[in-house]
Amino acid sequence: MLLVALATVVLYILFIRSLPQEIGQISSASGLFVLIQTALGGVLAVVLGLELSETLKAYFARHQVRLEVILVLATIAVSRYLIQVDFEHTPAVVVLGLGAVILCLTVGYLLVRKANMTLPEGRPPAGPQDEDGSARMRR
């Protein structure tokens, strides 16, 4: 959490300090694209840290990792990488591959979400059971 808080403060300071200077240097749409690319990359890095800290907090509290959160983390990480790719020097097959990975992660997230919504409230998923018939938690 300390690292995420520090990264947020540093990102904010860098943004405030460099904004007037960077705006003055924008002379074309490609210059604006580079500025937005850099800013979004920093913001997504902080969001990635926040999501990862929430995942760790949930794991330590309940010894449970939610697949939805892992898929969201992976999607954010690949999206952040895709945003920072230099499209002029990157082969098209790499960009298409990254797009396919994001599509697969998103479809996987939607399928997991749909499967979780179909479970009745309060009913744990099927799994090993104790002698009294109650479900055991997997670790």
Side-chain angles (χ1 to χ4, degrees), residues 5-20:
L6 181 65
T8 303
V9 170
V10 168
L11 182 65
Y12 181 73
I13 290 170
L14 288 173
F15 182 75
I16 296 299
R17 281 188 183 169
S18 65
L19 187 63

Side-chain angles (χ1 to χ4, degrees), residues 60-79:
F60 290 128
R62 296 183 298 273
H63 298 288
Q64 172 186 6
V65 177
R66 293 183 51 203
L67 184 57
E68 287 177 4
V69 176
I70 300 301
L71 290 171
V72 167
L73 280 171
T75 304
I76 292 171
V78 176
S79 299

Side-chain angles (χ1 to χ4, degrees), residues 9-129:
V9 170
V10 168
L11 182 65
Y12 181 73
I13 290 170
L14 288 173
F15 182 75
I16 296 299
R17 281 188 183 169
S18 65
L19 187 63
Q21 175 184 355
E22 293 292 330
I23 287 178
Q25 293 179 359
I26 296 174
S27 60
S28 66
S30 64
L32 178 63
F33 180 71
V34 171
L35 179 65
I36 290 173
Q37 219 177 2
T38 305
L40 286 178
V43 169
L44 285 177
V46 171
V47 169
L48 195 60
L50 286 171
E51 287 291 334
L52 185 58
S53 67
E54 285 297 315
T55 301
L56 291 174
K57 192 167 72 172
Y59 175 75
F60 290 128
R62 296 183 298 273
H63 298 288
Q64 172 186 6
V65 177
R66 293 183 51 203
L67 184 57
E68 287 177 4
V69 176
I70 300 301
L71 290 171
V72 167
L73 280 171
T75 304
I76 292 171
V78 176
S79 299
R80 180 181 178 275
Y81 181 77
L82 183 63
I83 286 173
Q84 293 184 329
V85 165
D86 181 11
F87 292 108
E88 292 180 15
H89 299 100
T90 303
V93 70
V94 172
V95 177
L96 289 172
L98 288 170
V101 169
I102 291 173
L103 181 65
C104 290
L105 288 169
T106 304
V107 169
Y109 173 80
L110 291 173
L111 291 173
V112 168
R113 204 56 216 247
K114 185 177 180 181
N116 286 343
M117 281 195 278
T118 58
L119 286 176
E121 278 300 313
R123 183 173 165 214
Q129 299 196 349

